[in-house]
Amino acid sequence: MNLVFGRTFNVVDDLYLNIVKQINFGEWIELDDLEALRYLEKLHNFSGQLCVINDYCYEKKCGPFLLNATDITHFAKHFITRYGQSFYATDIVIINFEEKLIWVLVHEGLGWLSKG
């Protein structure tokens, strides 16, 4: 993070930088995993290698998940079956280091795209 974006982050709010596009979909709205993914994709189409960080990573102290953008829908759709919890519980961070893009969706009803 520091090499590409010039900073590190400890909480999602630290990623609120160089905002390219933002969406506000209402506080504490419940979204299923694919709806959450669609909100993020409205900000900018996914491409290339993606680094995905969600609540599972924080709770299990693992991750991030690394995958190709072409696999992200399948990954989100089957996340609950494979990992036993929703892909989107409170926050999702998706990073494309090559394009210097960060997609963020937070449970407070806000999503944004940052460009480094």
Side-chain angles (χ1 to χ4, degrees), residues 9-98:
F9 78 97
N10 294 313
V11 295
V12 174
D13 292 344
D14 292 344
L15 297 174
Y16 196 80
L17 62 124
N18 303 329
I19 305 303
V20 175
K21 193 171 182 182
Q22 183 171 305
I23 53 173
N24 190 336
F25 52 88
E27 194 167 335
W28 293 98
I29 190 170
E30 290 191 29
L31 302 172
D32 70 33
D33 293 341
L34 294 180
E35 286 175 316
L37 195 60
R38 282 193 294 274
Y39 269 108
L40 288 168
E41 196 162 26
K42 284 180 184 180
L43 296 168
H44 191 280
N45 289 330
F46 298 117
S47 63
Q49 186 76 17
L50 302 176
C51 172
V52 178
I53 305 164
N54 63 5
D55 289 334
Y56 185 87
C57 298
Y58 293 110
E59 290 173 15
K60 304 296 182 184
K61 298 186 186 335
C62 71
F65 298 99
L66 301 175
L67 56 134
N68 193 288
T70 58
D71 300 323
I72 195 160
T73 299
H74 182 269
F75 177 74
K77 182 176 183 180
H78 297 284
F79 193 89
I80 195 164
T81 303
R82 183 162 186 182
Y83 297 101
Q85 69 182 56
S86 295
F87 174 67
Y88 172 66
T90 58
D91 301 327
I92 301 173
V93 175
I94 300 175
I95 306 166
N96 179 317
F97 286 102
E98 187 175 274

